[in-house]
């Protein structure tokens, strides 16, 4: 937990209490505090209504007043304050039909997904833990609050959240909760791909990706989503970069980049995956100097990691990759000693596509050490090349 946020949260709670209402830290921040892990967002739940919060704090932003959330800006760090609420019926497996504000903390905690996420912490550090969250954390299990089948019927995303938390925390999913996921797995298709993408990204950058994939397979959730979640195709891997995870997902799926569109990944993520997969192909076929020049070092290093994760044997070490790239005669096309203008001066031909083709060939010749990156030598090379052409 970031101390600044913690301090701000205590101040917010004090002010709400002074106004005669209750307020507690809730959700992920409490779980992570108990786990002694860092968490960047401290959420507060309160018995006060949104307009009552706005009356207590001069500077607030509505960030979902219909859901009861107000962002308080008066205590150094922005803090989200949400009115205790229950969620009534769910007819579409993903959103409550309406939310009702309540004055009772227990009601609010009851609507939360897992016992470890359904605890509250008072400003003096006292836990309110109606559902044995701490005990389940101690036994490293993820356990739905209440009747798991019903909870997953209300919101199918919770099933994928269970798998995500398992991968992040290296916890197991409790038996009844697990069986309910198996039973309800097909309803994951009600959830928007963007939200599925967020959870899969968190699995990909978690410390236990393989466990996540194992759960995707044995809960059968993976069957209802695009792509292959067969655990034997995935070796364990680790990256803090979401893009690396998505690119690897494509590799496991025979380099099928269309998957990234299906999961609504950004263009930036798609371009990254495309480059890494091209670099990977090049690496496993014995990398050409032109590819060492063409790809950024990070792309090459990522592709190298993929080869390792796929148990491919490469003839050179990861460490020499940077060295080999550094030792190229030129690092990019701009460093070539000649330009299109030189070619026009040396030739009787008119401007045309041949200029780019020739410059590309010159770059190849230079990185392959067939000719020095020197204007005079490149002129001679050009005449020989031009005669052949
Ligand atoms: P993270 O550390 O990844 O943010 P988190 O537990 O804080 O994990 P959030 O998505 O930020 O997860 O949600 C905050 C809290 O809101 C959760 O701890 C949980 O109590 C509740 N919550 C979130 N999503 C759901 C859901 N789909 N169903 C029920 N409760 C939920
Ligand atoms: Mg959170």
């Amino acid at each position: 937990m970031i101390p600044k946020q913690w301090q701000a949260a205590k101040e917010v709670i004090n002010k709400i209490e002074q106004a005669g209402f209750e307020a507690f830290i809730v959700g992920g921040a409490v779980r992570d505090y108990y786990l002694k892990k860092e968490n960047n967002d401290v959420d507060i739940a309160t018995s006060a209504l949104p307009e009552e919060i706005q009356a207590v704090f001069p500077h607030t932003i509505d960030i979902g007043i219909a859901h009861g959330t107000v962002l308080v800006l008066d205590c150094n760090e922005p803090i989200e304050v949400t009115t205790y609420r229950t969620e009534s019926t769910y007819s579409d497996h993903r959103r409550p039909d309406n939310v009702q504000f309540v004055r009772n903390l227990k009601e609010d905690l009851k609507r939360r997904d897992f016992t470890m996420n359904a605890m509250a912490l008072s400003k003096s550090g006292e836990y309110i833990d109606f559902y044995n969250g701490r005990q389940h954390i101690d036994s490293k299990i993820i356990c739905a609050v209440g009747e798991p089948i019903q909870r997953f019927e209300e919101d199918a995303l919770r099933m994928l959240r269970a798998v995500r938390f398992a991968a992040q925390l290296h916890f197991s999913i409790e038996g009844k909760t697990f069986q309910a996921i198996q039973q309800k797995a097909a309803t994951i298709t009600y959830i928007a791909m963007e939200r599925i993408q967020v959870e899969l990204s968190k699995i990909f950058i978690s410390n236990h990706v393989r466990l996540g994939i194992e759960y995707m397979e044995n809960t059968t959730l993976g069957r209802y989503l695009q792509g292959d979640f067969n655990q034997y195709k995935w070796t364990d891997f680790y990256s803090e970069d979401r893009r690396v995870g998505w690119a690897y997902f494509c590799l496991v799926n025979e380099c099928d980049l269309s998957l990234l569109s299906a999961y609504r990944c950004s263009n930036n993520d798609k371009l990254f995956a495309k480059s890494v997969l091209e670099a990977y192909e090049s690496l496993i076929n014995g990398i050409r100097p032109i590819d060492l020049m063409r790809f950024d070092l990070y792309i090459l290093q990522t592709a190298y990691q993929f080869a390792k994760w796929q148990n491919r044997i490469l003839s050179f070490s990861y460490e020499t990759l940077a060295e080999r790239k550094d030792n190229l005669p030129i690092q990019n096309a701009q460093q070539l000693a000649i330009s299109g203008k030189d070619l026009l001066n040396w030739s009787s031909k008119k401007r045309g596509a041949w200029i780019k083709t020739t410059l590309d060939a010159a770059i190849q010749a230079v990185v392959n050490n067939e000719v020095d990156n020197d204007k005079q030598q490149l002129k001679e090379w050009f005449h020989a090349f031009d005669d052949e052409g």
Side-chain angles (χ1 to χ4, degrees):
M1 187 110 41
I2 291 179
K4 270 199 310 195
Q5 283 237 343
W6 202 227
Q7 198 47 46
K10 279 189 182 174
E11 253 179 75
V12 171
I13 294 177
N14 270 334
K15 292 200 167 119
I16 298 175
E17 286 180 351
Q18 278 159 20
F21 303 101
E22 284 178 15
F24 295 91
I25 295 171
V26 289
V30 184
R31 177 197 68 226
D32 290 342
Y33 181 74
Y34 187 69
L35 280 163
K36 300 189 169 58
K37 277 187 173 220
E38 212 172 85
N39 186 309
N40 297 340
D41 39 56
V42 181
D43 295 324
I44 288 178
T46 179
S47 59
L49 294 170
E51 47 281 18
E52 290 167 334
I53 289 299
Q54 285 168 321
V56 175
F57 298 97
H59 303 101
T60 58
I61 304 177
D62 288 1
I63 52 169
I65 221 128
H67 291 93
T69 305
V70 170
L71 191 66
V72 172
L73 304 175
D74 294 282
C75 303
N76 290 321
E77 290 288 306
I79 298 286
E80 270 188 36
V81 178
T82 305
T83 303
Y84 298 157
R85 60 178 210 227
T86 58
E87 290 165 356
S88 59
T89 50
Y90 294 71
S91 32
D92 65 356
H93 306 272
R94 53 185 171 181
R95 273 183 307 257
D97 298 331
N98 56 59
V99 303
Q100 270 154 350
F101 298 140
V102 290
R103 295 283 186 181
N104 176 315
L105 174 66
K106 192 170 183 180
E107 281 291 302
D108 181 88
L109 296 176
K110 194 173 157 191
R111 71 165 168 94
R112 295 175 182 269
D113 49 5
F114 304 110
T115 57
M116 63 182 182
N117 291 342
M119 304 187 286
L121 197 63
S122 75
K123 66 167 198 247
S124 54
E126 211 185 328
Y127 287 93
I128 292 95
D129 181 9
F130 297 114
Y131 305 102
N132 300 322
R134 283 169 299 176
Q135 194 192 318
H136 293 154
I137 291 176
D138 291 342
S139 349
K140 297 180 182 291
I141 54 172
I142 297 163
C143 188
V145 174
E147 213 31 71
I149 296 247
Q150 186 198 334
R151 304 311 311 283
F152 298 141
E153 277 171 358
E154 290 167 0
D155 179 359
L157 186 70
R158 290 172 186 156
M159 300 186 287
L160 194 52
R161 282 173 60 88
V163 174
R164 182 260 278 194
F165 286 120
Q168 286 178 326
L169 303 171
H170 202 250
F171 278 21
S172 16
I173 302 178
E174 175 273 332
K176 230 175 121 188
T177 303
F178 179 87
Q179 281 171 12
I181 300 178
Q182 281 185 322
Q183 199 170 327
K184 288 282 150 191
T187 60
I188 195 66
T189 52
Y190 289 113
I191 302 298
M193 288 308 251
E194 288 81 354
R195 298 180 71 200
I196 291 176
Q197 187 223 109
V198 170
E199 297 303 324
L200 289 180
S201 295
K202 289 185 180 178
I203 294 175
F204 293 156
I205 61 167
S206 72
N207 281 330
H208 309 280
V209 184
R210 183 70 190 279
L211 179 63
I213 302 298
E214 237 175 270
Y215 270 127
M216 291 303 286
E217 189 179 11
N218 57 26
T219 58
T220 75
L221 269 178
R223 276 192 219 165
Y224 303 96
L225 295 173
Q226 285 190 50
D228 199 334
F229 293 95
N230 175 340
Q231 57 178 300
Y232 297 104
K233 287 207 180 167
W234 290 76
T235 39
D236 213 353
F237 74 89
Y238 176 74
S239 172
E240 286 174 6
D241 186 342
R242 180 196 74 243
R243 299 174 305 169
V244 172
W246 283 99
Y248 196 65
F249 183 53
C250 292
L251 180 68
V252 169
N253 284 281
E254 270 94 47
C255 300
D256 181 2
L257 284 161
S258 70
L259 274 173
L260 299 197
S261 304
Y263 284 98
R264 311 280 188 272
C265 292
S266 68
N267 285 336
N268 181 4
D269 286 9
K270 288 186 210 166
L271 282 176
F272 181 84
K274 187 164 177 281
S275 298
V276 173
L277 294 178
E278 279 173 22
Y280 174 79
E281 277 305 310
S282 166
L283 269 179
I284 60 173
N285 292 317
I287 192 155
R288 298 174 307 168
I290 190 70
D291 293 325
L292 278 173
M293 184 193 94
R294 191 158 72 96
F295 297 112
D296 288 346
L297 183 60
Y298 181 56
I299 297 279
L300 291 165
Q301 288 174 331
T302 304
Y304 196 101
Q305 295 281 8
F306 283 17
K308 265 178 46 189
W309 295 335
Q310 291 280 307
N311 295 316
R312 296 277 191 153
I313 295 159
L314 297 177
S315 60
F316 55 93
S317 72
Y318 180 84
E319 288 70 29
T320 56
L321 208 49
E323 207 176 297
R324 288 172 65 143
K325 191 170 165 63
D326 278 346
N327 288 339
L328 290 171
I330 55 173
Q331 295 299 321
N332 53 54
Q334 288 73 43
Q335 288 176 354
L336 189 68
I338 58 168
S339 66
K341 229 185 199 167
D342 295 317
L343 296 180
L344 283 166
N345 285 338
W346 299 336
S347 169
S348 52
K349 284 192 274 187
K350 279 203 228 138
R351 205 173 272 283
W354 67 274
I355 295 182
K356 175 153 192 330
T357 322
T358 312
L359 287 174
D360 285 346
I363 292 166
Q364 286 264 14
V366 169
V367 293
N368 289 339
N369 276 319
E370 290 156 16
V371 54
D372 287 349
N373 188 33
D374 167 87
K375 200 160 178 170
Q376 199 49 43
Q377 293 201 35
L378 278 163
K379 187 175 178 182
E380 283 162 30
W381 168 88
F382 168 67
H383 286 305
F385 176 83
D386 208 30
D387 286 349
E388 278 169 34

